[in-house]
Structure formats: structure tokens, C-alpha cells
């Protein structure tokens, strides 16, 4: 019987890894694309993601007792944050989620961070996958501007292509559940 992490790796490999030349959000080209929404919105993979990421953060001192909320740049982080919120609730723990827009709305309340207010709250910035760390660091900047205390960053899949180092330069801890080795993929293209 496989572990939850191995089952998630199998699901991500089967559902989300698409082979073929693609241009990533970072502008880099790769021989494969990890379309994580195929996994983060899947009935079996999403709960595994929520529990495994919650466990990873708890093991490293960033569990619901130490943080208030999770979320990141829409759209990749949205289902990850929701999965974590539900995983925490299933354990009787309190953890809010939020969404970071690419830019503040020009109507309504004009917010860039949506959901429960993050002002003065300890938060973890999330993403589904990361190449250079650009998206998660954009979320970190927006969260800080909104008054949140960003204490860590976490992703479901790290591509081993610079995100770890980019986040480390900010002084924030960076966590992931799976990397390219777990998925049987090359780290660099």
C-alpha cells in the first residue's frame, strides 16, 4: 500500500503532467508542463494536497496554532488554500484562506487580497507549483502591502528550477510536498 505522498505523486503524474514543449509563466521553456489544476481540483488529489501540506507546515512549526490563514496568487493557489482550509476543519482546527488578485480591483472595495482580512495576521503564501518563485513572491509582496505578516511560503510541486533559492533570498522558509524527482521528471530543461 502506498503512502499518501506516493499516492499524490501518482495522481499528479497521471493527471497533471503534460509532455511537450511549453512556455511557463516564468517565460522559461520546458519539455513538460505540470497543469496542477487537473490535480488540485480532483476529488482524490485535492484532499491529499490539503492534508499533506497542512502536515508539512505543522511539522515545521507553521500549523494552524501558529498561523492564521493561507493563500496566494489566483488562480493556482486558490484550490490549494481551499484544500488546506477543509483539511484543517476536518481536524477541528481553525485556518482561514484568502485569494491574492494580480492587481487590486478598480471597483467595489478595491482590494487585492480577498477573503477574511489579513491585517496583522500570520499567513503562509501558497502556490500549486513553482519554477522561479515569481508568482509566490508577487503574492508575498501584495500580502505585506495589505498588512499581513508573511511567515512562510509553500507549494505542492517544486520544479527544482530556482524558486527555492529565490524565496530563500527573502529570508522566508519554503516548503513543498513533491519535487521533480518524486514525479520522475528532469529538474532542468
Amino acid at each position: 500500500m502506498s503512502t499518501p505522498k506516493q499516492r499524490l505523486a501518482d495522481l499528479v503524474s497521471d493527471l497533471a503532467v503534460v509532455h511537450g514543449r511549453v512556455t511557463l509563466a516564468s517565460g522559461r521553456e520546458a519539455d513538460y508542463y505540470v497543469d496542477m489544476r487537473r490535480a488540485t481540483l480532483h476529488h482524490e488529489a485535492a484532499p491529499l494536497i490539503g492534508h499533506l501540506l497542512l502536515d508539512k507546515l505543522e511539522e515545521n512549526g507553521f500549523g494552524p496554532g501558529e498561523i492564521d490563514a493561507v493563500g496566494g496568487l489566483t488562480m493556482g493557489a486558490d484550490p490549494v488554500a481551499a484544500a488546506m482550509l477543509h483539511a484543517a476543519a476536518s481536524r477541528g482546527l481553525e485556518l482561514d484562506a484568502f485569494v491574492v488578485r494580480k492587481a487590486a480591483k478598480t471597483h467595489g472595495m478595491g482590494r487585492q487580497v480577498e477573503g477574511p482580512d489579513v491585517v496583522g495576521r500570520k499567513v503562509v503564501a501558497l502556490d500549486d507549483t513553482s519554477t522561479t518563485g515569481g508568482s509566490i513572491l508577487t503574492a508575498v509582496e501584495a500580502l505585506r502591502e495589505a498588512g499581513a505578516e508573511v511567515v512562510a511560503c509553500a507549494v505542492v510541486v517544486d520544479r527544482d528550477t530556482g524558486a527555492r533559492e529565490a524565496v530563500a533570498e527573502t529570508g522566508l522558509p519554503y516548503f513543498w510536498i513533491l519535487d521533480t524527482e518524486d514525479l520522475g521528471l528532469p529538474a532542468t530543461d
Side-chain angles (χ1 to χ4, degrees):
M1 184 159 192
S2 67
T3 65
K5 180 180 173 180
Q6 183 56 55
R7 179 61 185 146
L8 179 60
D10 292 344
L11 286 166
V12 169
S13 292
D14 293 345
L15 298 167
V17 177
V18 180
H19 294 276
R21 202 79 182 145
V22 295
T23 301
L24 305 170
S26 64
R28 291 186 182 183
E29 289 194 354
D31 290 322
Y32 63 90
Y33 178 65
V34 184
D35 185 358
M36 282 302 293
R37 280 153 312 277
R38 294 180 180 192
T40 60
L41 296 168
H42 184 266
H43 68 276
E44 183 181 358
L48 285 171
I49 289 166
H51 285 285
L52 287 168
L53 206 45
L54 191 63
D55 291 345
K56 176 69 80 170
L57 290 174
E58 284 180 323
E59 290 163 8
N60 287 282
F62 298 98
E66 294 77 36
I67 63 170
D68 302 304
V70 295
L73 201 61
T74 198
M75 140 175 302
D78 300 350
V80 179
M84 290 187 68
L85 174 147
H86 289 289
S90 76
R91 299 176 186 186
L93 303 172
E94 294 181 10
L95 183 66
D96 287 334
F98 54 83
V99 173
V100 179
R101 294 175 181 275
K102 290 179 170 67
K105 285 174 39 175
T106 58
H107 59 284
M109 296 188 61
R111 294 173 51 160
Q112 186 171 4
V113 180
E114 298 287 355
D117 201 356
V118 296
V119 174
R121 299 178 83 198
K122 292 182 180 182
V123 304
V124 173
L126 301 176
D127 209 347
D128 56 0
T129 186
S130 196
T131 303
T132 64
S135 293
I136 205 162
L137 292 175
T138 296
V140 167
E141 183 179 330
L143 287 161
R144 287 178 172 159
E145 287 176 12
E149 180 184 346
V150 182
V151 296
C153 295
V155 299
V156 181
V157 175
D158 180 78
R159 290 180 58 102
D160 298 320
T161 51
R164 294 176 196 175
E165 295 79 6
V167 172
E169 286 179 17
T170 70
L172 290 170
Y174 177 78
F175 305 103
W176 63 94
I177 302 171
L178 302 171
D179 59 22
T180 52
E181 183 179 337
D182 295 317
L183 300 174
L185 297 169
T188 58
D189 300 298

